[in-house]
Amino acid sequence: MSYYLELYNISIDYYQNNLKTSDLLPSRNILKENIENIFKKIKDQKIQNLNELLNQLKDKKKLQNFSKQTGIAEEYLTILVREIKSIQPKPNNFIDFPNVSKNIVSKLEKHGIKNTLQLFDQVLTKKDRKELAIEIGINEIEILRLTKLTDLSRIRWVNHTFAYVLLEANYDTVEKVANADYRKLYDDVKNLNAERKIYKGNIGLHDMKLCVESAKNLSLDIKF
């Protein structure tokens, strides 16, 4: 069980095939260009999974050396690193959620819980949540709400505001987002925001499609 997709579990071959069929952000479509040749060069370096690849590209000097060794352009490798890192989104801090009170944030922090990653392992089952609610001193309904925000925060590109929006739109778990029709999800979120003005700007139809596709890749570790 893991908050993230573990990079060492994603083989280079699997990732190559996944990239070829994925609907990427427009700025990252370059990753599909000449992909067979580029990934052959990566595999020629005896790199077997994404964790090993990221270690080879983790700073500018290493990336430049890898580019010289393989003949893969630095621009391509830089974008590839961004795409790989986005598989493991930064956890959301509870203090940033619009529906979590300062009192609850304070109680969580006293138990060393500041963000969704730190809560994840402690709320996997109903029994876990009940015990934590007693320990922290908040009710089980609130613990369940925090758990759902944590689950949604595992999805790529879902920040604290969007996790709250998904929750309020009744797409309150990874499983529900994964099973959603992205067009209906788009309409539901758009209508909710038109009514309640939760966020400024616009979440596009393509963004919603990426959200659903990302949710499909996550394991359903939390038992509701």
Side-chain angles (χ1 to χ4, degrees):
M1 293 183 180
S2 176
Y3 183 90
Y4 297 118
L5 282 173
E6 296 291 359
L7 297 183
Y8 57 75
N9 286 330
I10 304 175
S11 72
I12 295 299
D13 283 330
Y14 175 86
Y15 189 65
Q16 176 185 340
N17 291 329
N18 185 262
L19 272 182
K20 287 165 66 175
T21 58
S22 291
D23 190 3
L24 302 175
L25 295 171
S27 62
R28 297 182 185 177
N29 277 326
I30 188 178
L31 297 177
K32 296 185 179 184
E33 297 176 8
N34 199 23
I35 192 170
E36 299 287 348
N37 183 47
I38 288 174
F39 271 75
K40 181 181 182 303
K41 290 178 179 179
I42 290 172
K43 286 181 280 189
D44 285 345
Q45 300 299 308
K46 309 301 180 185
I47 294 172
Q48 298 181 354
N49 59 62
L50 290 192
N51 189 59
E52 292 177 0
L53 177 57
L54 204 57
N55 282 336
Q56 291 294 319
L57 306 172
K58 64 183 180 181
D59 57 47
K60 186 174 181 180
K61 185 176 180 180
K62 281 198 164 191
L63 188 146
Q64 289 174 337
N65 287 338
F66 193 85
S67 175
K68 289 177 182 177
Q69 290 171 6
T70 61
I72 303 171
E74 286 185 36
E75 179 189 7
Y76 185 98
L77 292 174
T78 300
I79 295 172
L80 181 60
V81 167
R82 290 175 190 157
E83 180 65 18
I84 293 172
K85 285 184 175 180
S86 72
I87 293 173
Q88 296 185 332
K90 290 182 179 179
N92 289 320
N93 294 320
F94 286 112
I95 197 171
D96 295 327
F97 286 107
N99 64 328
V100 180
S101 71
K102 291 182 180 179
N103 179 49
I104 289 174
V105 169
S106 177
K107 288 182 177 182
L108 289 169
E109 289 182 351
K110 286 178 181 178
H111 284 76
I113 302 170
K114 293 185 177 182
N115 60 49
T116 52
L117 174 60
Q118 292 169 338
L119 181 67
F120 177 75
D121 286 334
Q122 302 188 51
V123 291
L124 294 175
T125 68
K126 186 175 181 179
K127 181 175 180 289
D128 291 335
R129 294 190 289 273
K130 184 174 182 178
E131 290 175 352
L132 185 63
I134 294 170
E135 182 181 347
I136 290 179
I138 59 180
N139 65 58
E140 291 181 51
I141 294 175
E142 191 60 43
I143 282 288
L144 180 60
R145 192 172 179 83
L146 295 171
T147 300
K148 290 182 174 181
L149 289 171
T150 294
D151 198 29
L152 294 168
S153 296
R154 300 166 62 212
I155 304 172
R156 293 169 76 180
W157 305 296
V158 172
N159 65 8
H160 53 276
T161 301
F162 192 42
Y164 171 66
V165 169
L166 289 171
L167 183 80
E168 293 297 294
N170 295 318
Y171 296 88
D172 55 1
T173 67
V174 165
E175 184 174 17
K176 288 182 182 179
V177 175
N179 291 330
D181 179 327
Y182 73 91
R183 298 175 188 84
K184 185 176 187 305
L185 176 58
Y186 170 79
D187 288 338
D188 289 344
V189 166
K190 184 178 179 181
N191 291 337
L192 176 70
N193 195 53
E195 177 185 340
R196 294 174 50 183
K197 311 295 183 188
I198 299 172
Y199 61 88
K200 296 180 181 179
N202 180 52
I203 299 173
L205 184 62
H206 183 252
D207 298 326
M208 213 62 75
K209 184 179 180 183
L210 291 176
C211 179
V212 171
E213 289 179 353
S214 174
K216 290 180 186 297
N217 291 324
L218 292 170
S219 57
L220 305 179
D221 294 331
I222 299 178
K223 307 306 176 187
F224 292 102

